Amino acid sequence: MDLPDFSSPSWLLLLTLIFFIIITGRYFLVAGLFYLVFYTWFPSRFEARKINKKKYKKGQFRKEIKWSLITSILFSIAGTIMVVLWQKGLTKVYTEAYQYGWWYLPVSLVIFMILHETYYYWIHRWMHQPTVFKIVHKVHHDSHIASPFTAFSFHPLEGLLQAVFLPIMLMILPMHYVVIIILLIIMTFSSVINHLDIEIYPKNRNNILTKWVIGATHHSNHHHYFKYNYGLYFTFWDKIGGTEK
Ligand SMILES: [Zn+2]
Ligand SMILES: [Zn+2]
């Protein structure tokens, strides 16, 4: 099949627009659904699992949605760049599931998540340096009590730091396109779950999920105390770095 030249100006614009619709749609769908289920439809059922009892600041959601839309533009541009890189043969993305063996599909997913965790943990710690924090990371922490809408609420500079990781990885790590889609779904759900401020994972501290996977309690502590719990998906870097609370 002959594909059009995606690097032409009209295609660059169209692709960015398509990605923007998909990415904002994904944000409103997942964050909105969690908000409706946990805060509108069944709040009393989750009251015991709500982490911060104080009410959200007036106008918080509106601000979070505004920053999230700006982040979505950056993610859309990154998406377009990935398509162009792929068309020019500069990525290691592959389409035949058996090309590297079936076993490699879940392995590549885990490798990506571990590398992403490492990248995010260390830039996150760097973003908490006082001078960097004020410029790059304060926007995210303006949400003292996280909400599902905090999931993409970043200053554009932080959005940029987050957006570059996937295109770089696609040029280095072979990944099947379905694995990439699964990763994007995991990223969205994990960010919304971690910012929900209602713990949905088992409360037992020794449970394997609570021990190694980040949930709302872990990340709400980060929004409350600032200097602990820098992780993204997993707790291992916080344990190694002595920053877990
Ligand atoms: Zn956060
Ligand atoms: Zn932070």
Side-chain angles (χ1 to χ4, degrees):
M1 188 173 67
D2 271 349
L3 288 170
D5 176 13
F6 290 134
S7 57
S8 69
S10 51
W11 268 103
L12 290 178
L13 209 65
L14 184 65
L15 281 175
T16 308
L17 188 69
I18 294 169
F19 275 121
F20 183 72
I21 293 167
I22 296 171
I23 291 167
T24 49
R26 170 185 77 158
Y27 169 70
F28 284 118
L29 188 76
V30 181
L33 195 68
F34 273 77
Y35 183 77
L36 282 175
V37 170
F38 289 90
Y39 285 94
T40 312
W41 293 338
F42 312 106
S44 55
R45 199 177 291 180
F46 300 104
E47 215 176 296
R49 287 178 164 266
K50 177 84 173 107
I51 297 153
N52 287 284
K53 305 293 176 196
K54 270 202 255 165
K55 278 204 156 71
Y56 286 110
K57 271 194 278 178
K58 200 167 167 275
Q60 179 180 327
F61 296 164
R62 200 162 40 83
K63 267 193 212 157
E64 291 173 336
I65 290 169
K66 181 196 85 181
W67 289 116
S68 297
L69 289 177
I70 297 170
T71 303
S72 297
I73 296 174
L74 291 168
F75 286 0
S76 308
I77 295 169
T80 302
I81 291 171
M82 285 185 265
V83 171
V84 173
L85 288 174
W86 166 78
Q87 191 171 42
K88 296 199 180 301
L90 294 171
T91 71
K92 296 233 181 323
V93 177
Y94 63 99
T95 51
E96 304 294 346
Y98 48 81
Q99 194 174 329
Y100 291 86
W102 294 99
W103 63 273
Y104 182 71
L105 298 171
V107 168
S108 62
L109 186 114
V110 173
I111 292 173
F112 179 93
M113 288 180 80
I114 290 172
L115 292 175
H116 196 193
E117 180 67 44
T118 306
Y119 171 76
Y120 186 77
Y121 177 82
W122 288 104
I123 60 156
H124 194 183
R125 281 190 67 162
W126 172 75
M127 288 191 294
H128 275 264
Q129 304 275 327
T131 42
V132 184
F133 182 86
K134 270 185 263 167
I135 305 165
V136 183
H137 194 43
K138 187 184 170 295
V139 163
H140 187 65
H141 277 275
D142 281 343
S143 307
H144 294 296
I145 302 174
S147 85
F149 301 106
T150 319
F152 284 178
S153 176
F154 306 113
H155 185 278
L157 287 173
E158 177 168 3
L160 190 69
L161 285 170
Q162 302 213 17
V164 295
F165 186 74
L166 187 57
I168 292 172
M169 286 310 297
L170 294 193
M171 292 193 283
I172 302 169
L173 182 72
M175 274 193 290
H176 188 264
Y177 71 96
V178 174
V179 171
I180 299 168
I181 295 170
I182 294 171
L183 268 169
L184 292 168
I185 295 170
I186 292 175
M187 283 178 197
T188 313
F189 274 89
S190 111
S191 192
V192 171
I193 288 169
N194 295 350
H195 288 102
L196 188 59
D197 204 56
I198 292 173
E199 186 54 68
I200 61 170
Y201 295 146
K203 278 187 167 178
N204 177 2
R205 280 167 136 254
N206 293 318
N207 183 291
I208 190 143
L209 200 66
T210 326
K211 203 168 177 182
W212 296 104
V213 176
I214 289 173
T217 309
H218 196 272
H219 197 65
S220 283
N221 270 340
H222 179 67
H223 280 257
H224 187 78
Y225 297 106
F226 287 64
K227 54 180 184 171
Y228 303 102
N229 299 2
Y230 295 100
L232 181 64
Y233 312 110
F234 308 115
T235 58
F236 67 88
W237 267 119
D238 276 311
K239 289 192 203 301
I240 297 166
T243 54
E244 192 175 44
K245 191 173 178 71

